[in-house]
Amino acid sequence: AQKVTQAQTEISVVEKEDVTLDCVYETRDTTYYLFWYKQPPSGELVFLIRRNSFDEQNEISGRYSWNFQKSTSSFNFTITASQVVDSAVYFCALGEYGNKLVFGAGTILRVKS
Amino acid sequence: GAVVSQHPSRVICKSGTSVKIECRSLDFQATTMFWYRQFPKQSLMLMATSNEGSKATYEQGVEKDKFLINHASLTLSTLTVTSAHPEDSSFYICSARTPNQGLGYGYTFGSGTRLTVV
């Protein structure tokens, strides 16, 4: 069965600090997809990244970066120089090919000025 | 890009009444849509998967007679909460599977519906 674990329930940092959100997944599939979403207080899910299981290249997008390691079944997300606007709930999700997404419990990120 | 429109964004209803939530794909055909429920400070839990023209597949523990899902067209899926009770108050989010450029699929989410049953 698929499972996503986000062990960090809540993280608080001061603005400009770097922060890493952890995500560990379990699946028996060889083809799968990993996602990160941001959910601000409004509730809408904001797509951040999608990564295929056969593409282990790390990715950087502005202040965001992702580290995908199949050997440890992890897909961690780092925000560099955090800002108050980064405060939100962040979800990691795992999807089989074309099928449903399984979400982690989410990590609440609070960035204080 | 693919857009999914979900309405209403907020609804308050009386206990015992039914509420319909619509999820529309605006610029693509969505053969598969997903309905999630999210309680306060919790994660998104999949309720059901709906495929156009066929019956929805419900997750274990979800009452199919209470949460009616209809996916009669390639651009519209609806979730009806029948005989709503206060414990049904939650945030409901729909998602459509979208063909992704390159390999595989993506998922586009609606903006969610906050249901309050009084």
Side-chain angles (χ1 to χ4, degrees), chain A residues 26-87:
Chain A
E26 295 176 29
T27 180
R28 295 179 180 176
D29 295 320
T30 54
T31 301
Y32 53 89
Y33 301 89
L34 294 163
F35 300 79
W36 275 96
Y37 291 91
K38 174 182 180 180
Q39 188 177 44
S42 63
E44 188 166 354
L45 283 177
V46 177
F47 168 78
L48 297 177
I49 190 171
R50 167 183 176 269
R51 175 61 76 216
N52 304 327
S53 56
F54 36 85
D55 181 4
E56 284 193 75
Q57 280 191 336
N58 293 328
E59 183 160 337
I60 298 175
S61 177
R63 296 184 297 107
Y64 296 168
S65 62
W66 291 269
N67 185 322
F68 178 27
Q69 292 195 343
K70 287 181 73 172
S71 60
T72 56
S73 297
S74 64
F75 187 43
N76 297 336
F77 171 34
T78 298
I79 301 175
T80 302
S82 59
Q83 299 176 1
V84 173
V85 294
D86 295 328
S87 297

Side-chain angles (χ1 to χ4, degrees), chain A residues 33 39 50 98-100 104, chain B residues 38 43 97 100 103 105 107:
Chain A
Y33 301 89
Q39 188 177 44
R50 167 183 176 269
N99 292 325
K100 64 184 180 184
Chain B
Q38 184 181 30
S43 186
R97 192 182 69 185
N100 208 61
L103 296 174
Y105 295 87
Y107 302 85

Side-chain angles (χ1 to χ4, degrees), chain B residues 58-111:
Chain B
Y58 290 81
E59 295 298 300
Q60 192 172 7
V62 178
E63 300 176 57
K64 57 183 67 176
D65 293 331
K66 180 169 186 61
F67 299 99
L68 301 179
I69 291 173
N70 184 286
H71 194 162
S73 78
L74 287 171
T75 59
L76 175 65
S77 177
T78 60
L79 167 67
T80 301
V81 183
T82 62
S83 187
H85 291 285
E87 57 265 31
D88 298 324
S89 298
S90 187
F91 191 59
Y92 294 86
I93 308 176
C94 68
S95 171
R97 192 182 69 185
T98 58
N100 208 61
Q101 289 185 348
L103 296 174
Y105 295 87
Y107 302 85
T108 300
F109 285 83
S111 55

Side-chain angles (χ1 to χ4, degrees), chain B:
Chain B
V3 177
V4 170
S5 176
Q6 184 172 345
H7 292 281
S9 57
R10 290 178 179 271
V11 59
I12 301 173
C13 71
K14 290 185 178 180
S15 187
T17 61
S18 296
V19 173
K20 180 184 284 189
I21 302 170
E22 292 189 347
C23 183
R24 293 181 184 273
S25 57
L26 298 186
D27 50 1
F28 68 100
Q29 294 183 331
T31 56
T32 301
M33 286 190 175
F34 306 91
W35 287 94
Y36 293 85
R37 178 170 56 185
Q38 184 181 30
F39 291 108
K41 298 187 178 181
Q42 294 189 24
S43 186
L44 284 78
M45 300 301 295
L46 180 68
M47 299 175 66
T49 301
S50 73
N51 293 296
E52 185 268 335
S54 63
K55 290 184 178 180
T57 302
Y58 290 81
E59 295 298 300
Q60 192 172 7
V62 178
E63 300 176 57
K64 57 183 67 176
D65 293 331
K66 180 169 186 61
F67 299 99
L68 301 179
I69 291 173
N70 184 286
H71 194 162
S73 78
L74 287 171
T75 59
L76 175 65
S77 177
T78 60
L79 167 67
T80 301
V81 183
T82 62
S83 187
H85 291 285
E87 57 265 31
D88 298 324
S89 298
S90 187
F91 191 59
Y92 294 86
I93 308 176
C94 68
S95 171
R97 192 182 69 185
T98 58
N100 208 61
Q101 289 185 348
L103 296 174
Y105 295 87
Y107 302 85
T108 300
F109 285 83
S111 55
T113 298
R114 197 165 301 278
L115 169 64
T116 303
V117 185
V118 297

